[in-house]
């Protein structure tokens, strides 16, 4: 019931930007005529429009907030997925120990035995934001837990983001388009997927910061005010604090500046918009510990400095042009160009030499994999293995952006709108490379389709009005004067719409007249067009609500399935983490694949070897190697790392597809990338990955296989794996170096303990029969023993 | 000590102790009471041991006696959680009065014994008899043996007691009945008068035993009942006079029985849960008061999805299942919270309010090693008093919550070893004025009022620091320009209104044919136009002189020319139409003459309006 009752309000909200305006225009003539004589009508109407606009924005914010609460209503108020657990843990630490402790936090409960300097390696924006909100609430004696604040941070910031979208679009086109874009962004599925209540991740805050930075940039560009330029660099600082995606801003804005210069649109406003941003922004960015000197050293920031120099050169040229006569100017130009080119070449040569000396050309792996989509799969399997780094499929575009993908808009080109177009084009490219960056595309698509939709609506409604007026003219021939005056009063409201397509520069009213006349459509098609647009928007709303309710609300630590006998809840992850939290020693080390690292530290409060911050490839490869090795070698690797428990995720009993067996090939690949004795081919039979009777002996003897399928055959007698849909290859086996200590109710998480080393019995080695294990396994063991990197 | 039980080592102190007691026999620290019959029934079905002793006490001495001494060896007394004495009339179902019980230390008593004294309401006269029921509850008295078991094994426990009733008085006839939970009895201390029938073990009857007789017996038996032991429970009772009593209970529960050794196999547990996992427990049952609402059950990592709830008019029954089955030595924590209607628990008498609620936890058969009850009274409560049915450690705290300023007074009661028998009502008396309820809403209202007030003040006042800075001057000028533009706009609106009047007069003309009125209208309009243009002139000059109007000026200029043109067109059209009427031309001809003009006027009017619109947008 809760689901259906929640859906009508969004429907109302979406339509709200339009009907109020329509009502408004219908109501206006009376107001206008009654107060026309006094001349106060315009002011009253402005005030009314302002209040209406503010109210609509409030509703949009409410919509953005409430559409993200499906996860709380359907599941519970809980942190979702993997990374949010880390952020939650950091926020807990921050709220408990204060900000200075946070900067100096060395976390010894992860990456054992290396540890991790959290304060210096984390983007602190999100944590500081939530920590501040929590602190503020608690200082007002509103007792909300850190968890609650964290859960609701993302919805709050998506409301902020939709307001920022309004501001940005308003700056580019006008308030009508702004409202439309804000409403669309409030419920774009791609953004919802990252900002439902509980998905406490950097992106939730960063998208707001991104849009707001763009808004301030465009605002500065339009006004040329240094005040906004300063605000812009502060907003950029917030973005740098929040997300690694700030490099998108610091590349997109220079690109736009370059575009403006190339198209001859250089102005002092452009200079004010750009130069303070680079100077202040870079200084501020260098304050963030995780960025530090990267703000001037890495290639991601290079473009901004290059454009900074170019901008100054151009500014200088314009200045000189104003000073000198054209003839002198030509002479000066040739001189400057020859000298400048020489210096440029020298600098460029040095730079190229510097850059070329670094193997990745100064780019970080992640950025490089964006520029060259094949890079990661060739060199860094760890980046390629992350599911959100895969390229998206076409259905996912439809799923995440829906109709927006098919709407776009060609604007009269101004500085602001060219910026938006550039934003769209680059973000389309990036989203094509990584599914995760679909998120960056979403605001661009929303803004442009908001403009397009509001443009379409205004054209259609206007043409309907014009049409009515001409038909009246035709019908009423005798009293033309009356008709004319009516026309005049009727037309007034329609100009309200027209205002939207006006540029800030504005064109002369005569142009508008012709434009208007050109844009008039026959009444019938206009009505049909409006109907179609409304239906289209309706479908969009339905799709968004469906996506929010069904597709993106699952917290992924609790799974539910609907069967004929009601709702079934699979709460196995928390069962296992809860068990470990209370029934293992507080200093025990737990080994698992890196996916579960953050959750283990946050929920079970146990030390892990590797976690989702995949900063040390070798360490991850070690765990991968251990998982891929036979039992004894794995035991040696693990015990050399002080591991006491090994955790595996197994979906074979209930058909949970993203389990460790399905991720196993990545472990082999990553492990093999560092320790060459692990060969992917050993785990594949004729290029196919399988764990049934055709599975290779290496595969069936690997620790992962054994831990997952230990005593699995006893459940149904055959060992039928419901994920892989076949019977497993090796059914009856015993564990010699590990013992099962906990398995959850649906077997999704299995925890094993490393058995202590047996007392050595003298002479036993000799008695051991040579044929006990196959010769291959023996040789493997020898090799494995030598290859253990921790001995 | 007939059985060859392994825990002999633990029993050795008892032997020593017996010797000591035998020495103490000679001590004169007892009145001349004789217990003519003592029946003890020890219930071992749960992990909390309950012993009911029925005593028939006879005063064989000379003086009236006002107290009856009850003795326990120290090893038992340290596990004693509750002791209660009732005076009955001899029949089982008869009326009974509760007797106060206190710890005493009679002179000359051996230090290995601990004495309690049941105070009689009126002294027992010579030769009279008295029926006394003593309920004693012991915790931690069932020792698991072996201490570690595997998943498949049943849990065996050892219970030690004395077959003879340990009393400072001679006992004539006595029996001991031990109720076992059923299931296997591994062994028990053999005795000629011991008899095991079904799950009941009987010792006795023993006759004519001297004071302080002691005969240790040990029973080793299977007990798979849940050994739910809460290390600590914090129970917070928060009173809100808006109509709710919110109770939050934080549990830290462990299985207090034999520890699990070796592996825990889910497949064994799932395929035969009553064989492989018999010693574990999966769920706990809480009996909450009726009309409990908003019940939640969670731990630090989220909701726990396994619970069931039934409710009727007498109680609300909550069955909760921890995240995982608890085997020996395993522990878990969770929080249960619920709301209760205020009128069921908070009452008013003699100008004071009081909370009347049970002390212990609503969980069934749970032993709480440390219970902390916090009663959070509403902000502004005064004169707080506590009345508890048993001694507790008490202190006060302050809690800040929900926009509090001075904080809420919190009464904290702490008691170790709490068992279901302690689930008695206790009272917290306090004084509270209902007006304090309005404090927080009023605070919110004031806060918002101040916020909006500040906004208004900010919007209306000039906050600029430097009154001579160029930007400030520019802003002033701009404001001036805007005001001027608005005035100009007003004038144009008036012009347009005059135009409308002219049009209207034309329409009247076509209807009535009265030329004079029409001419008069034209004259009036002319005059108005002149007046308006006179008004406009100073405004225009001021606008032109202002440096901020460079953007607007061309538009305004444009507007003026357009309007002039329109005025002229309108006038000519007006005069044409009037002329035509004077010449009595046909309507069609008139139409033909002015159709062009009309179109032009319409176009001009649109332009003027759009210009006005544009200006107003600035």
């Amino acid at each position: 019931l809760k689901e259906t009752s929640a859906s009508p309000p969004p429907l109302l909200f979406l339509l709200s930007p339009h009907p109020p305006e329509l009502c408004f225009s219908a109501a206006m003539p009376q107001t206008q005529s009654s107060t026309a004589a006094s001349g106060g009508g315009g002011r009253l109407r402005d005030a009314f429009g302002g209040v209406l606009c503010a109210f609509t924005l409030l509703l949009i914010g409410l919509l953005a907030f409430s559409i993200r609460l499906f996860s709380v209503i359907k599941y519970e108020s809980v942190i979702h997925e993997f990374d949010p657990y880390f952020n939650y843990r950091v926020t807990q630490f921050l709220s408990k120990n204060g900000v200075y402790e946070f900067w100096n936090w060395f976390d010894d409960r992860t990456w054992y035995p290396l540890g991790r300097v959290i304060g210096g390696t984390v983007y602190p924006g999100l944590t500081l934001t939530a920590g501040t909100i929590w602190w503020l609430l608690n200082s007002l004696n509103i007792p909300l837990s850190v968890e609650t604040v964290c859960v609701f941070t993302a919805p709050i910031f998506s409301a902020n983001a939709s307001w920022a979208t309004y501001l940005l679009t308003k700056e580019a086109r006008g308030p009508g388009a702004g409202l439309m874009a804000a409403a669309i962004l409030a419920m774009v599925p791609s953004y919802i997927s990252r900002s439902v209540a509980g998905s406490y991740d950097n992106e939730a805050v960063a998208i707001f910061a991104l849009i707001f930075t763009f808004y301030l940039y465009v605002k500065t560009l339009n006004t040329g005010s240094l005040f906004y330029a300063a605000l812009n660099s502060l907003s950029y600082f917030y973005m740098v604090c929040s997300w690694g995606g700030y490099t998108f801003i610091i590349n997109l804005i220079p690109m736009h500046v370059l575009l403006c210069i190339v198209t001859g649109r250089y102005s002092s406003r452009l200079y004010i918009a750009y130069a303070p941003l680079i100077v202040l922004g870079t200084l501020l960015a260098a304050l963030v510990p995780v960025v530090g000197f990267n703000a001037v050293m890495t290639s991601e920031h290079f473009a901004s400095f290059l454009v900074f120099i170019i901008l100054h050169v151009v500014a200088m040229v314009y200045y000189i042009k104003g000073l000198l006569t054209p003839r002198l100017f030509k002479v000066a130009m040739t001189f400057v160009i020859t000298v400048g080119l020489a210096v440029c070449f020298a600098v460029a040569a040095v730079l190229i030499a510097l850059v070329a000396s670094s193997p990745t050309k100064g780019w970080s792996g992640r950025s490089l994999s964006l520029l060259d989509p094949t890079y990661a799969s060739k060199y860094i399997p760890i980046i390629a293995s992350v599911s959100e780094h895969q390229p998206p499929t076409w259905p996912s575009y439809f799923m995440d952006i829906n109709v927006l993908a098919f709407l776009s808009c060609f604007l009269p080109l101004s500085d602001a709108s060219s910026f938006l177009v550039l934003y769209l084009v680059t973000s389309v490219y990036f989203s094509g490379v990584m599914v995760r960056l679909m998120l960056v595309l979403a605001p661009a698509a929303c803004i442009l389709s908001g403009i397009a939709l509001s443009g379409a609506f205004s054209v259609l409604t206007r043409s309907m009005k014009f049409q009515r007026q001409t038909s009246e003219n035709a019908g009423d021939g005798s009293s033309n004067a009356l008709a004319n005056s009516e026309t005049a009063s009727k037309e007034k409201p329609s100009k309200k719409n027209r205002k939207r397509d006006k540029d800030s520069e504005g064109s002369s009213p005569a142009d508008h007249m012709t434009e208007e006349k050109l844009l008039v459509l026959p009444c019938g098609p206009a009505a049909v067009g409006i109907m179609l647009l409304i239906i289209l928007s309706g479908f969009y709303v339905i799709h968004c609500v469906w996506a929010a309710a069904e597709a993106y609300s699952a917290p992924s630590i609790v799974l539910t399935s609907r069967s004929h006998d009601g709702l079934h809840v699979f709460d196995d992850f928390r069962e296992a983490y809860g068990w470990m939290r209370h029934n293992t020693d507080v200093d025990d080390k737990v080994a698992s694949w890196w996916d579960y690292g953050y959750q283990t530290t946050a929920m079970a409060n146990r030390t892990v070897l590797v976690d989702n911050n995949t900063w040390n490839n070798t360490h991850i490869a070690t765990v991968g190697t251990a998982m891929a090795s036979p039992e004894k070698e794995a035991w040696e690797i693990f015990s050399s790392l002080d591991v006491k428990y090994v955790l595996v995720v197994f979906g074979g009993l209930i058909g949970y597809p993203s389990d460790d067996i399905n991720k196993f090939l990545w472990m082999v690949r990553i492990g093999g990338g560092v320790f060459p004795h692990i060969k992917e081919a050993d785990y594949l039979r004729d290029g196919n990955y399988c764990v049934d009777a055709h599975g290779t002996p290496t595969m069936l003897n690997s620790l992962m296989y054994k831990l997952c399928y230990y005593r699995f055959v006893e459940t149904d007698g055959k060992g039928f794996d419901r994920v892989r849909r076949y019977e497993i290859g090796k059914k009856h086996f015993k564990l010699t170096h590990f013992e099962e200590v906990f398995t959850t109710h649906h077997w999704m998480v299995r925890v094993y303990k490393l058995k202590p080393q047996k007392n050595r019995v003298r002479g036993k080695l000799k008695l051991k029969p040579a044929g006990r294990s196959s010769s291959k396994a023996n040789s493997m063991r020898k090799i494995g023993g030598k290859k253990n990197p921790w001995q | 000590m007939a059985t060859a039980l392994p825990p002999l080592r633990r029993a050795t102190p008892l032997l020593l102790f017996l010797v000591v007691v035998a020495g103490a026999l000679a001590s004169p620290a007892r009145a001349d009471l004789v217990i003519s019959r003592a029946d003890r029934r020890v219930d071992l079905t749960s992990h909390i041991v309950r012993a009911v002793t029925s005593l028939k006490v006879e005063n064989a001495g000379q003086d009236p006696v006002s107290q009856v001494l009850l003795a326990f060896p120290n090893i038992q007394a340290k596990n004693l959680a509750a002791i209660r004495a009732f005076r009955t009339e001899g029949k089982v179902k008869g009326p009974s009065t509760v007797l106060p019980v206190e710890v005493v230390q009679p002179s000359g008593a051996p230090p290995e014994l601990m004495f309690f004294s049941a105070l009689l309401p009126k002294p027992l006269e010579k030769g009279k008899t008295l029926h006394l029921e003593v309920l004693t509850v012991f915790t931690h008295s069932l020792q698991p043996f072996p201490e570690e078991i595997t998943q498949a094994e049943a849990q065996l426990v050892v219970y030690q007691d004395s077959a003879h009733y340990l009393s400072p008085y001679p006992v004539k006839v006595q029996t001991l009945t031990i109720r076992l939970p059923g299931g296997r009895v591994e062994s028990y201390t053999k005795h000629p008068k011991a008899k095991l029938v079904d799950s009941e073990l009987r010792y006795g009857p023993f006759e004519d035993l001297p004071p302080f007789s002691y005969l240790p017996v040990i029973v080793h038996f299977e007990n798979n009942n849940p050994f739910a032991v809460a290390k600590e429970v914090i129970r917070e009772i928060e009173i809100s006079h808006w109509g709710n009593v919110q109770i939050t209970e934080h549990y830290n529960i462990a299985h207090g029985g034999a520890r699990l050794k070796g592996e825990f196999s889910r497949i064994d547990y799932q395929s035969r849960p009553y064989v492989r996992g018999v010693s574990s427990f999966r769920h706990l049952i809480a009996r909450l008061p009726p009309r409990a609402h908003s019940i939640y059950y969670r731990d630090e990592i989220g909701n726990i999805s396994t619970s069931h709830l039934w409710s009727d008019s007498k109680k609300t029954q909550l069955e909760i299942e921890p995240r995982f089955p608890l085997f020996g030595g395993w522990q878990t924590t969770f929080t249960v919270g619920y709301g209760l209607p205020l009128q069921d628990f908070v009452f008013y008498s003699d100008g004071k309010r009081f909370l009347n609620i049970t002390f212990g936890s609503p969980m069934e058969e749970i032993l709480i090693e440390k219970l902390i009850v916090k009663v959070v009274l509403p902000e502004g409560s005064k004169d707080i008093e506590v009345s508890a049915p048993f001694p507790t450690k008490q202190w006060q705290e302050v809690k800040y919550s929900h926009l509090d300023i001075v904080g809420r007074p919190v009464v904290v009661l702490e008691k170790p070893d709490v068992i279901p028998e302690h689930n008695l009502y206790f009272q917290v008396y306090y004084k509270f004025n209902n007006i304090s309820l309005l404090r927080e809403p009023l605070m919110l209202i004031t806060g918002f009022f101040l916020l909006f007030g500040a906004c208004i003040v900010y919007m209306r006042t000039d906050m600029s620091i430097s009154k001579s800075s160029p930007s400030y001057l520019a802003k002033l000028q701009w404001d001036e320009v805007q005001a001027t533009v608005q005035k100009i706009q007003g004038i144009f609106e008036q012009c347009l209104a005059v135009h409308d009047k002219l049009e209207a007069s034309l329409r009247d003309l076509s209807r009535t044919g009265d030329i004079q009125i029409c001419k008069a209208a034209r004259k009036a309009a002319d005059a108005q136009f002149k007046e308006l243009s006179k008004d406009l002139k100073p405004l225009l000059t001021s606008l032109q002189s202002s440096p901020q109007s460079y953007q607007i000026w061309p538009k305004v200029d444009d507007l003026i020319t357009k309007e002039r043109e329109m005025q002229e067109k309108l006038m000519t059209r007006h005069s044409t139409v009037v002329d035509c009427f004077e010449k009595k031309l046909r309507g069609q001809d008139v139409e033909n003459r002015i159709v062009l003009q009309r179109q032009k006027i319409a176009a001009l009017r649109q332009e003027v309006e759009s210009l006005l619109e544009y200006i107003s947008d600035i």
Side-chain angles (χ1 to χ4, degrees), chain B residues 310-609:
Chain B
W310 302 270
S311 61
D312 56 36
S313 61
K314 291 213 181 64
K315 62 171 194 309
T316 310
Q317 185 166 323
L318 174 69
E319 183 193 306
I320 59 175
E321 206 174 296
R323 290 199 185 275
F324 41 87
L326 284 173
F327 278 85
W330 287 12
Q331 50 184 326
T332 187
T333 61
F334 57 83
T335 302
V336 176
Y338 48 95
L340 298 170
L342 183 77
Q343 66 269 22
D344 291 6
F345 296 94
V346 175
F347 306 94
Y348 189 79
S349 78
D350 304 335
K352 275 198 141 185
R353 293 164 202 273
F354 66 96
L355 169 81
N356 186 30
I357 201 165
T358 50
F359 184 79
S361 131
M363 298 282 169
E364 279 185 347
E365 282 303 291
I366 188 173
L367 162 67
I368 303 169
E369 293 184 347
K370 184 175 160 194
L371 173 68
I372 297 175
V373 178
K374 295 183 175 182
V375 181
V376 183
L377 299 171
E379 197 181 15
S381 306
K382 294 187 293 287
D383 302 340
I384 299 155
E385 287 166 42
V386 182
S387 126
F390 33 75
T392 55
K393 207 166 128 193
Q394 291 179 15
W395 68 93
Q396 285 203 6
E397 287 175 358
V398 177
K399 183 190 175 186
Y400 293 92
S401 132
H402 294 295
L403 300 170
D404 288 345
I405 294 174
V406 293
R408 306 175 182 209
V410 182
V411 180
V412 188
L413 310 173
E414 189 188 314
K415 182 167 169 49
D417 283 334
V418 177
I419 46 164
E421 271 73 13
H422 287 123
N423 246 351
L424 301 172
Y425 283 90
F426 74 106
Q427 292 82 30
V428 179
Y429 294 89
Y430 61 99
K431 276 187 178 158
F432 178 73
N433 195 340
N434 267 339
I435 289 176
S436 305
L437 275 183
L438 295 176
R439 187 189 297 195
E440 275 147 21
L442 284 179
M443 224 166 70
L444 276 184
I445 290 167
T446 335
F448 275 100
F449 181 77
L450 287 179
L451 178 73
F452 289 129
C455 283
I456 290 170
V457 168
Y458 176 76
M459 297 297 284
R460 302 280 159 169
T461 50
D462 190 354
M463 303 286 275
S464 56
I465 301 166
S466 155
K467 304 283 184 203
S468 59
S469 75
S471 69
Y472 179 71
L473 290 179
K475 193 176 157 275
L476 280 189
Q477 280 170 354
W478 178 241
D479 284 349
E480 213 171 286
V481 166
Q482 270 184 325
T484 325
V485 165
Q486 235 156 29
K487 275 184 201 156
I488 293 173
Q489 243 181 309
I491 288 172
F492 276 105
E493 301 272 357
Q494 282 178 33
C495 279
L496 289 182
V498 176
H499 289 188
D500 287 348
K501 261 186 207 160
L502 275 178
E503 299 272 359
S505 73
L506 275 183
R507 250 176 287 139
D508 283 348
L509 180 68
S510 67
R511 208 172 56 230
T512 61
D514 192 342
I515 297 165
Q516 289 313 314
I517 292 179
C518 198
K519 274 185 178 168
R522 193 166 70 195
K523 215 164 258 169
D526 225 18
Q528 268 177 320
F529 278 137
K530 266 183 196 136
E531 208 165 293
L532 286 175
S533 65
K534 214 184 277 169
D535 287 351
L536 195 59
K537 222 162 242 165
L539 291 175
L540 286 179
T541 47
S542 77
L543 188 65
Q544 208 170 359
S545 64
S546 170
Q548 291 285 318
S549 62
Y550 63 92
Q551 264 186 317
I552 301 178
W553 178 249
K555 303 280 169 192
V556 175
D557 213 29
D558 205 14
L559 183 64
I560 290 166
T561 49
K562 288 269 157 63
E563 208 271 341
R564 285 273 153 73
E565 200 181 337
M566 189 175 159
Q567 239 175 56
E568 277 163 27
K569 288 268 154 54
L570 202 59
M571 282 304 186
T572 46
R573 180 178 144 209
H574 201 266
S575 51
T576 336
V577 174
V578 173
D579 279 355
C580 291
F581 263 92
E582 278 177 335
K583 288 172 192 161
K584 303 241 165 35
L585 283 179
R586 277 189 306 130
Q588 196 59 47
D589 291 345
V590 180
E591 205 61 33
N592 288 340
R593 282 198 189 184
I594 61 166
V595 70
L596 263 177
Q597 287 176 349
R598 200 175 59 200
Q599 276 172 5
K600 208 159 220 176
I601 289 172
L604 276 172
R605 174 138 192 158
Q606 260 185 15
E607 275 179 36
V608 168
E609 298 230 348

Side-chain angles (χ1 to χ4, degrees), chain A residues 131-143:
Chain A
T132 313
I133 295 176
W134 179 84
W135 175 82
L136 207 70
L137 288 175
N138 271 269
S139 59
L140 288 175
N141 279 333
I142 299 173

Side-chain angles (χ1 to χ4, degrees), chain A residues 479-497:
Chain A
S479 58
N480 290 306
L482 177 70
N484 262 353
S485 72
E486 263 177 22
T487 312
S489 66
K490 275 256 178 55
E491 205 202 321
K492 208 169 265 174
S494 81
K495 269 168 208 150
K496 174 81 185 160
N497 299 336

Side-chain angles (χ1 to χ4, degrees), chain A residues 76 141 480 513 740 743, chain B residues 263 266 303 403-404 598 606:
Chain A
E76 58 180 281
N141 279 333
N480 290 306
M513 288 299 300
E740 184 185 9
T743 297
Chain B
E263 47 181 46
R266 179 65 75 165
N303 284 356
L403 300 170
D404 288 345
R598 200 175 59 200
Q606 260 185 15

Side-chain angles (χ1 to χ4, degrees), chain A residues 381 593 618-635 637-638 663-684 689 696-699 701-704 776 779-789:
Chain A
W593 189 232
T618 317
H619 218 49
I620 292 178
T622 310
V623 174
T625 306
M627 293 293 190
S629 305
E631 217 185 318
K632 186 163 191 308
E633 281 76 59
W635 185 91
I637 294 174
F638 279 144
K663 290 172 183 169
F664 184 60
L665 266 195
W666 285 112
M667 302 181 204
V668 172
R669 269 176 215 155
I670 294 168
V674 177
F675 305 107
H677 70 282
I678 300 287
K679 294 182 192 67
E680 193 179 336
D682 292 344
Y683 297 85
L684 301 176
Y689 174 64
T696 59
T698 321
M699 175 70 224
N701 279 317
S702 68
L703 180 72
M704 180 52 75
K776 192 179 176 188
S779 61
M780 282 274 309
R781 186 172 304 160
K782 268 172 214 155
I783 295 163
K786 273 175 204 158
K787 289 286 162 77
N788 181 359

Side-chain angles (χ1 to χ4, degrees), chain A residues 32 36-39 43 45-46 75-78 85 88 140-143 147 466 469 477-482 484-485 487-489 491-492 495-496 498-499 502 504-510 513 516-517 557 569 571 574-575 577-583 602-604 653 710-711 714-715 738-747, chain B residues 252 260 262-268 270-271 276 282 298-306 321 323-326 329-334 399-407 443 486 489-491 493-494 496-497 500 503-504 506-507 510 551 555 558 562 573 591 595 598-599 601-603 605-607 609-611 613-614 616-617:
Chain A
Q32 187 79 23
S38 68
R43 201 186 298 165
R45 199 193 54 188
D46 281 353
Y75 295 88
E76 58 180 281
S77 166
V78 72
Y85 267 99
Y88 169 51
L140 288 175
N141 279 333
I142 299 173
E147 190 189 3
F466 269 94
Q469 152 212 333
S478 60
S479 58
N480 290 306
L482 177 70
N484 262 353
S485 72
T487 312
S489 66
E491 205 202 321
K492 208 169 265 174
K495 269 168 208 150
K496 174 81 185 160
R498 189 178 356 127
K499 199 163 60 181
K502 262 188 222 162
S504 48
E505 261 88 341
S507 44
S508 80
M513 288 299 300
E516 255 168 40
K517 283 202 176 124
I557 54 159
V569 179
D571 203 359
R574 288 193 295 185
E575 182 182 345
Y577 293 133
W579 182 84
M580 288 204 294
R581 186 183 187 101
H582 297 297
N583 298 300
M603 283 198 267
L653 185 75
Y710 177 60
R711 296 187 73 183
E714 293 170 41
T715 51
F738 294 85
E739 63 176 354
E740 184 185 9
V741 285
F742 191 74
T743 297
T744 57
H745 188 238
H746 302 100
W747 291 50
Chain B
N252 178 3
L260 177 72
E263 47 181 46
F264 162 67
S265 169
R266 179 65 75 165
I267 180 76
D268 288 342
Q270 272 173 343
S271 52
R276 306 297 179 98
R282 300 182 68 114
R298 54 170 297 151
D299 64 3
E300 60 267 79
I301 55 176
N303 284 356
I304 307 176
S305 46
T306 41
E321 206 174 296
R323 290 199 185 275
F324 41 87
L326 284 173
W330 287 12
Q331 50 184 326
T332 187
T333 61
F334 57 83
K399 183 190 175 186
Y400 293 92
S401 132
H402 294 295
L403 300 170
D404 288 345
I405 294 174
V406 293
M443 224 166 70
Q486 235 156 29
Q489 243 181 309
I491 288 172
E493 301 272 357
Q494 282 178 33
L496 289 182
D500 287 348
E503 299 272 359
L506 275 183
R507 250 176 287 139
S510 67
Q551 264 186 317
K555 303 280 169 192
D558 205 14
K562 288 269 157 63
R573 180 178 144 209
E591 205 61 33
V595 70
R598 200 175 59 200
Q599 276 172 5
I601 289 172
R605 174 138 192 158
Q606 260 185 15
E607 275 179 36
E609 298 230 348
S610 61
L611 271 173
E613 188 82 23
Y614 181 79
S616 73
D617 279 354

